Amino acid sequence: MHFTESAHMSDLIHDDYRLLQVISRFGVSLGFGDKSIREACTASGVDTGTFLAVVNFIQSEGRLPVEELAEEVSVAELMRYLQRSHSYFIDFRLPSIRRKLIEAVDCSAKNQIAFLILKFYDEYASEVQRHMDYENTHIHTYVEQLLEGKVPGRHASYSELAHQHHDNHSSLSKSSHELKSIIIKYYPSDSDTQRLYDALMDIYIMEEDLFSHCHLEDTLFAEAVRSLENEVRCKVRQGDGASADGQAAGRSDATDTSGELSDREKEVICHVVRGLSNKEIAEKMFISANTVMTHRRNIARKTQIHSPAGLTIFAIVNGLINLDEVKL
Ligand SMILES: [Fe+2]
Ligand SMILES: [Fe+2]
């Protein structure tokens, strides 16, 4: 269903409860009675075109053409929406899941596995925070300058700035997948099952929400910013002739295809878990640092675990190392 400004605001929620989050992040308060979308947005000082573009983007799950939706968007309004979403994840969602994990099981250093899983969760939360801080301080600052009619000279283009970030979105999704997998496979059996399942459900819901947020940044927001950028560049060229161009670069990853962990790879895992650097591992195993890196890439591919905290849990659970050898 494609919503228009005359539809009732309450119908949005009845149609798709996920849109509650959108309404809240735009700062539209509940209690809108039978107000239409346009009336409710106007009453809360929200740009109706941007609100509808986001609602229809999420609700259609990418079936509507982004170029058309982006034409209705106010970049400033959409950026405020993204910033409120960042605050929601950092200040509310991630801490609330952490509390639930702690309630579900004794996470003190006494219970080593639970303690390590909590540490893994904290690393994931920090990764999300770093990601969003970068957007607030780099990408959004760049866009703010465009909104003031300036082409920021230090950066070649929005595409260039956002390119590296696109990779970060894939990395976030890999980390959350790993987090769920570790909780499902390794959480201690003496946990409070109901609370643990509840926390896990929250992680699934947050992951979906975060994925939708990243997708919106990569498509609708990116399209709207690029169009603003073209407009500003044209105006600047017509004015004093200043200009800058940028382009995104392609990437490729080399992978190999073997299955089980080799003895050398298990040895590398044990050294990583003991807290050794790649250089130290290379010296201990009489191999080059490059070979250590290759082992680590193969380990990540075979175990689907990419962080030292995750490898520690893997090593303990699979009996590769004793608890007292682990660097906590
Ligand atoms: Fe973001
Ligand atoms: Fe992002």
Side-chain angles (χ1 to χ4, degrees):
M1 179 173 178
H2 187 170
F3 287 102
T4 60
E5 60 177 31
S6 55
H8 285 148
M9 188 63 112
S10 53
D11 289 344
L12 285 186
I13 304 167
H14 295 315
D15 191 73
D16 185 345
Y17 72 90
R18 291 174 308 167
L19 297 175
L20 261 174
Q21 283 166 333
V22 176
I23 294 172
S24 137
R25 288 172 200 169
F26 267 106
V28 177
S29 348
L30 289 174
F32 29 70
D34 282 329
K35 282 198 180 103
S36 68
I37 291 176
R38 183 175 47 76
E39 288 165 340
C41 283
T42 308
S44 300
V46 172
D47 177 68
T48 309
T50 310
F51 179 87
L52 277 172
V54 172
V55 160
N56 287 321
F57 175 85
I58 292 176
Q59 208 265 348
S60 72
E61 291 176 348
R63 285 190 299 275
L64 293 174
V66 168
E67 296 78 13
E68 279 175 33
L69 290 173
E71 282 173 18
E72 306 302 321
V73 159
S74 144
V75 172
E77 185 77 81
L78 186 52
M79 194 162 68
R80 276 195 293 278
Y81 170 80
L82 293 174
Q83 285 164 353
R84 279 199 209 101
S85 307
H86 291 169
S87 304
Y88 167 82
F89 286 113
I90 301 299
D91 302 330
F92 176 74
R93 200 50 158 152
L94 285 162
S96 116
I97 294 175
R98 189 180 198 276
R99 278 195 298 277
K100 283 192 181 178
L101 286 175
I102 291 173
E103 279 169 17
V105 66
D106 169 20
C107 294
S108 65
K110 242 182 357 188
N111 189 338
Q112 303 270 12
I113 296 289
F115 177 74
L116 286 166
I117 289 176
L118 191 67
K119 197 173 158 206
F120 187 93
Y121 178 82
D122 288 343
E123 279 174 16
Y124 169 71
S126 303
E127 186 185 351
V128 175
Q129 171 138 26
R130 277 195 306 278
H131 176 88
M132 293 182 173
D133 284 348
Y134 178 86
E135 281 166 356
N136 291 341
T137 54
H138 289 76
I139 296 192
H140 293 181
T141 306
Y142 177 84
V143 176
E144 269 161 21
Q145 298 204 47
L146 288 178
L147 286 166
E148 289 169 13
K150 298 174 196 157
V151 179
R154 278 177 299 135
H155 305 294
S157 70
Y158 171 78
S159 298
E160 191 154 309
L161 253 187
H163 168 69
Q164 179 197 354
H165 217 58
H166 184 79
D167 289 351
N168 282 346
H169 283 165
S170 332
S171 153
L172 279 186
S173 136
K174 218 191 280 172
S175 302
S176 69
H177 180 77
E178 208 168 297
L179 172 69
K180 286 183 313 191
S181 163
I182 279 180
I183 292 178
I184 292 167
K185 288 185 193 164
Y186 304 127
Y187 231 98
S189 53
D190 56 352
S191 318
D192 178 334
T193 315
Q194 293 280 23
R195 285 181 199 273
L196 188 57
Y197 281 11
D198 191 36
L200 198 52
M201 279 297 293
D202 278 3
I203 292 174
Y204 272 95
I205 294 168
M206 180 185 67
E207 185 186 36
E208 201 181 320
D209 192 9
L210 192 56
F211 175 78
S212 164
H213 171 86
C214 295
H215 186 47
L216 190 119
E217 285 171 333
D218 289 338
T219 54
L220 186 60
F221 184 62
E223 183 65 31
V225 172
R226 280 192 205 107
S227 146
L228 169 69
E229 192 175 46
N230 286 339
E231 223 174 88
V232 174
R233 282 183 196 283
C234 272
K235 279 187 190 154
V236 168
R237 266 191 221 115
Q238 282 162 8
D240 61 19
S243 70
D245 282 310
Q247 61 187 18
R251 274 178 79 89
S252 66
D253 282 315
T255 51
D256 63 46
T257 52
S258 48
E260 296 244 310
L261 286 173
S262 68
D263 289 345
R264 294 295 266 173
E265 286 161 353
K266 288 178 187 166
E267 197 179 339
V268 169
I269 292 179
C270 293
H271 290 318
V272 171
V273 166
R274 289 188 190 104
L276 268 62
S277 68
N278 285 343
K279 190 165 168 276
E280 289 166 330
I281 296 173
E283 280 164 12
K284 267 207 177 298
M285 294 177 67
F286 304 105
I287 53 179
S288 73
N290 270 345
T291 309
V292 176
M293 292 298 291
T294 306
H295 281 314
R296 291 193 69 166
R297 272 197 299 277
N298 289 339
I299 290 164
R301 179 176 52 77
K302 291 176 184 178
T303 62
Q304 290 299 299
I305 295 175
H306 301 80
S307 70
L311 279 182
T312 305
I313 295 162
F314 179 87
I316 294 170
V317 172
N318 288 285
L320 301 184
I321 198 161
N322 291 324
L323 270 175
D324 50 8
E325 293 177 78
V326 174
K327 182 174 183 292
L328 293 176

